[in-house]
Amino acid sequence: MLKLGGVTPRLYSQVLRLAASCNIHTTLSTFSELKAEENEEFRTLELRSKKFVRQPARVMKSHNVVPPRYKRQKVDQDWGNVWPAARTFHPASVPLPVRQGYPASGQVTPDKWGNAELMKIPNFLHLTPPVIKRQCEALKKFCTPWPSGIETAAEQEKYFPVMVSKSTYLHSSPTLRDQKARIVTLRVSLKSLDLDDHGRDKLLRLVKNRHDPTTDCLTIVADRCPLSQQNYDYCFYLLTVLYNESMKTEPWEHEKEVADRERYIWEGSPSQAALQAIIDSNEDSTPEEVIEEYKKVVIDLHNEGEDEPTLSRYRDSVMKLVGLA
């Protein structure tokens, strides 16, 4: 049996297990190295306590506290660099004593620090006049000059009778598409369609409440297709179909009598014949403005209905016509 001086049985067994697992030859140097490691694991027994040494008192160092940002901002700073875009209200970036909220009993309105009312509403601190001017200057290179000769609304309606409007939405969302972005609105004046009386009447019957009598404009809204370009094409398709159908005259339309008309027509009516008979019977010539007034009153009486103002106007026009007023 190999005799190893100063090697404990525990250490000897550890070495044998290590050699068996690694399949290596164990030498005396290996035992000596492990022995040194084992000796380092035990603490030295100290029978005498060390002399207590007082630690020096901690010296408190004074730190230079940086003032808040709103106090370090200059009065002539570029606000566009501080607040370049829309963002949540930040009290340290706004050098203004902003207050908002419902004050408690006997207290002032809450200030900007920790104010939830200021943080939960949208603000327009980024839209200052210098920033807006800078953004407009940057957008000028993408714009074209306004054409000359169409400064008034009448000229614009003459050269650009069709107006198409749609909306584009940009917001924080899992998807880039918005359902309302596909809606397209087409607006056109009926005067620019060059329709006769028959075509205008037929078009108004087809579009129903899509025509605005006050502005004499037709409005078509398309939102059936998933894309705005598809709805744009569909709007012009509907306008083309409406115009072509209005210009058609069906055979059965010639069978319409005077009583079947939707509105009263002065030309060829019995009232026109009666007026002509009165004019011929008068010895003096009837003024042209009296004839036009009587014509307008009769048309309004048939189309708008009988009421007190219409009947009063009709009475006065008849009295002027026969020379009693």
Side-chain angles (χ1 to χ4, degrees):
M1 180 177 180
L2 180 61
K3 183 179 179 180
L4 301 175
V7 179
T8 60
R10 176 187 173 188
L11 181 59
Y12 179 72
S13 61
Q14 292 180 358
V15 173
L16 293 180
R17 286 197 299 269
L18 179 62
S21 61
C22 298
N23 194 15
I24 60 177
H25 179 68
T26 305
T27 61
L28 185 60
S29 61
T30 306
F31 286 102
S32 60
E33 293 175 359
L34 294 176
K35 180 181 177 181
E37 294 179 1
E38 186 180 24
N39 294 335
E40 293 178 357
E41 294 179 0
F42 297 95
R43 297 176 58 187
T44 305
L45 178 60
E46 297 179 358
L47 299 178
R48 296 180 182 180
S49 59
K50 294 182 179 180
K51 187 177 180 180
F52 177 75
V53 180
R54 182 178 297 275
Q55 298 291 336
R58 180 179 298 179
V59 179
M60 302 299 295
K61 296 182 179 179
S62 59
H63 299 280
N64 295 328
V65 180
V66 180
R69 182 183 180 185
Y70 74 96
K71 291 186 177 180
R72 293 182 283 110
Q73 294 178 353
K74 300 180 180 180
V75 295
D76 57 346
Q77 66 179 346
D78 189 357
W79 181 249
N81 296 333
V82 179
W83 208 284
R87 55 171 296 191
T88 307
F89 181 82
H90 196 276
S93 301
V94 180
L96 300 173
V98 184
R99 293 180 176 271
Q100 184 172 345
Y102 186 78
S105 178
Q107 297 183 7
V108 298
T109 305
D111 58 2
K112 62 181 180 179
W113 298 99
N115 195 327
E117 295 296 328
L118 287 172
M119 291 187 292
K120 71 182 182 181
I121 63 173
N123 60 78
F124 298 93
L125 296 176
H126 61 290
L127 296 179
T128 55
V131 175
I132 295 177
K133 183 178 180 180
R134 185 191 310 169
Q135 294 178 356
C136 292
E137 292 294 333
L139 293 175
K140 277 186 177 181
K141 60 182 180 180
F142 301 105
C143 302
T144 56
W146 186 263
S148 59
I150 52 174
E151 286 76 12
T152 63
E155 293 174 345
Q156 296 175 15
E157 184 179 354
K158 177 182 178 182
Y159 294 102
F160 301 98
V162 180
M163 182 177 66
V164 180
S165 61
K166 61 180 181 178
S167 302
T168 302
Y169 299 87
L170 180 62
H171 52 82
S172 178
S173 175
T175 176
L176 296 177
R177 298 187 180 274
D178 193 285
Q179 293 294 330
K180 295 180 290 185
R182 71 182 193 276
I183 303 175
V184 177
T185 303
L186 184 145
R187 188 169 177 267
V188 58
S189 176
L190 293 187
K191 295 184 297 184
S192 61
L193 296 181
D194 194 17
L195 295 170
D196 54 4
D197 295 337
H198 168 266
R200 179 184 175 86
D201 178 70
K202 195 172 183 179
L203 179 65
L204 294 179
R205 290 175 174 274
L206 292 173
V207 299
K208 296 182 180 180
N209 58 348
R210 296 176 180 84
H211 174 257
D212 187 5
T214 56
T215 58
D216 195 27
C217 290
L218 169 64
T219 304
I220 301 175
V221 181
D223 58 352
R224 296 185 178 184
C225 302
L227 300 179
S228 60
Q229 182 61 39
Q230 296 172 341
N231 289 315
Y232 175 84
D233 298 337
Y234 184 62
C235 284
F236 279 94
Y237 166 76
L238 290 178
L239 180 62
T240 304
V241 172
L242 288 173
Y243 180 81
N244 293 332
E245 289 295 327
S246 301
M247 297 302 293
K248 290 181 181 179
T249 303
E250 302 293 341
W252 52 266
E253 294 185 21
H254 299 286
E255 302 176 0
K256 183 184 296 186
E257 301 293 339
V258 177
D260 299 331
R261 294 175 178 175
E262 296 76 20
R263 299 184 64 84
Y264 183 80
I265 300 177
W266 172 259
E267 287 75 11
S269 63
S271 299
Q272 184 183 17
L275 176 62
Q276 188 63 36
I278 294 174
I279 295 175
D280 296 339
S281 62
N282 289 338
E283 296 179 358
D284 300 332
S285 60
T286 306
E288 188 66 26
E289 58 271 11
V290 175
I291 298 175
E292 291 296 329
E293 181 182 358
Y294 177 79
K295 173 183 175 181
K296 186 176 185 306
V297 168
V298 172
I299 294 176
D300 294 342
L301 184 64
H302 285 83
N303 292 333
E304 299 179 4
E306 298 181 1
D307 52 9
E308 187 65 27
T310 307
L311 292 176
S312 299
R313 291 170 50 204
Y314 179 73
R315 181 193 58 207
D316 296 340
S317 63
V318 170
M319 295 181 65
K320 291 180 182 179
L321 186 62
V322 296
L324 299 178

